[in-house]
Amino acid sequence: MSIAAESAEFPQDLIERWRRIPVPVIVDLAAECQIDIAIRPLCSAGRQPALFGRAVTARCAAPDFGPVLRAIGLISAGEVLVIDAAGVAEWAMIGDVLGGHLHRIGVAGIVCDGAVRDTGALAEMTGLSVYARHINPRGPIGAAGTEVNVSVTIGGCPVSSGDLIIGDDDGLAALTPAQAAALIDRAEAKLVLEAEWNRRLASDEPIGQIFGL
């Protein structure tokens, strides 16, 4: 079991409530939770699997990918491998071999602030959601690094082991336990409000009346 999975800071009922919340609602309420939009979903809109899971972090000094290997030894099904490669484009930190292993064991996805490769194969791994800043066919060199389950910065957003990572076609967000607890009622209320807007628009109510123009 990974370090992230052992943490009890997220009650299960809170995690389940967050499964319904899309990234745009999260970042509307808390811009500090947004991960840089330059870290993009691998698949096109409509084909990207939704991403939802607790973070297992790896901080790499590219081209060394030792932390990725060590994190994969700790990660469990349903979790997210979060790779801080400081945005380096010159070497991919993960590809289809390790990605295929993660897919086989049921990992939710990969977020890489750096480069990935073998993207065609990764995109075909049903249910494995991959986000990356760069694509580069050149692989890593060396595996001496050991920084796993440490606090990292991904696209300008701090992420700690066990934080909740949520991704969809629009982008990514990261929630600490404290943020998740503080924001969930407002996030659910925003979904109710948006549903009401849709209902009123469908009834041909004047738009100015709906939005208080």
Side-chain angles (χ1 to χ4, degrees), residues 71-167:
I72 290 172
L74 297 173
I75 202 164
S76 297
E79 294 180 331
V80 180
L81 177 60
V82 176
I83 303 169
D84 177 3
V88 172
E90 286 78 9
W91 297 273
M93 292 291 99
I94 195 166
D96 64 344
V97 173
L98 295 178
H101 173 69
L102 294 175
H103 180 241
R104 282 190 296 274
I105 66 173
V107 166
I110 301 163
V111 175
C112 183
D113 194 350
V116 301
R117 69 177 185 176
D118 307 315
T119 53
L122 289 173
E124 293 300 317
M125 295 179 188
T126 303
L128 184 73
S129 188
V130 179
Y131 292 74
R133 186 179 291 275
H134 306 291
I135 296 169
N136 192 326
R138 185 180 185 188
I141 303 167
T146 61
E147 291 190 282
V148 175
N149 276 328
V150 296
S151 295
V152 298
T153 300
I154 303 294
C157 183
V159 177
S160 295
S161 171
D163 285 354
L164 188 59
I165 308 297
I166 301 175

